């Protein structure tokens, strides 16, 4: 059995996940990272992407949209703005958000905030990816 560490994922309104994990994978603003127990201390900014929680015999995944990660040798804490289990994601709504964001990016004018539209597109694509 791999070394385990305590993982806590918290949003402003709830404790999303608390448990033991052997590895966690997620996207930061610096790129994809995978973290095992006894990692050197690190903090990073979370970017939209899939959160993969490796437990003893299974891998749980969730759509993680933004936040911070604090990595300590025996514990990892993710402070997330939004994180969703795949079964909680409304596919139709995510697909509509993807189409809206792509339309805004394509037809950008002076009144369109393209950075905001690109972030909306990343969130929609993350939700759709989590459901696959």
């Amino acid at each position: 059995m791999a070394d385990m560490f305590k993982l806590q994922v918290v949003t402003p309104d709830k404790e999303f996940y608390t448990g033991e994990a052997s590895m966690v994978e997620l996207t930061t603003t610096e790129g994809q990272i995978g973290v095992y127990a006894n990692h050197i201390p690190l903090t990073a900014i979370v970017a939209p992407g899939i959160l993969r929680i490796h437990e003893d015999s299974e891998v749980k995944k969730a759509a993680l949209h933004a936040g911070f990660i604090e990595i300590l040798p025996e514990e990892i804490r993710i402070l997330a703005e939004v994180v969703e289990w795949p079964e909680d994601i409304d596919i139709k709504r995510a697909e509509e958000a993807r189409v809206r964001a792509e339309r805004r990016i394509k037809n950008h004018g002076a009144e369109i905030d393209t950075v905001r539209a690109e972030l909306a597109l990343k969130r929609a694509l993350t939700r759709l990816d989590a459901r696959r």
Side-chain angles (χ1 to χ4, degrees), residues 9 16-17 25-27 47-53 59-65 82-89 126-127 129-131:
V9 182
F16 180 79
Y17 177 91
E25 298 174 88
L26 67 147
T27 305
I50 301 299
L51 169 66
R52 287 181 178 79
I53 302 167
V59 177
K60 294 182 177 181
K61 70 179 187 174
L64 178 58
H65 300 290
V82 177
V83 62
E84 305 163 290
W85 295 118
E87 59 271 14
D88 296 334
I89 295 170
T126 297
R127 285 184 172 110
D129 191 27
R131 286 295 303 257

Side-chain angles (χ1 to χ4, degrees), residues 10-108:
V10 180
T11 68
D13 60 337
K14 68 181 176 184
E15 192 167 295
F16 180 79
Y17 177 91
T18 299
E20 296 284 314
S22 61
M23 180 182 178
V24 65
E25 298 174 88
L26 67 147
T27 305
T28 71
T29 55
E30 301 299 314
Q32 287 281 123
I33 64 169
V35 184
Y36 291 98
N38 302 312
H39 195 283
I40 61 168
L42 175 74
T43 57
I45 300 170
V46 172
I50 301 299
L51 169 66
R52 287 181 178 79
I53 302 167
H54 296 255
E55 294 179 329
D56 265 339
S57 59
E58 72 174 305
V59 177
K60 294 182 177 181
K61 70 179 187 174
L64 178 58
H65 300 290
F68 298 91
I69 183 170
E70 176 188 37
I71 301 168
L72 300 171
E74 303 297 322
E75 179 179 7
I76 295 176
R77 189 172 302 119
I78 299 172
L79 305 174
E81 289 180 25
V82 177
V83 62
E84 305 163 290
W85 295 118
E87 59 271 14
D88 296 334
I89 295 170
D90 181 338
I91 289 246
K92 182 179 178 194
R93 187 171 171 216
E95 186 61 36
E96 290 169 352
R98 181 192 63 80
V99 169
R100 264 192 322 273
E102 286 176 342
R103 190 178 319 121
R104 285 185 182 134
I105 292 168
K106 182 179 176 188
N107 301 325
H108 71 282

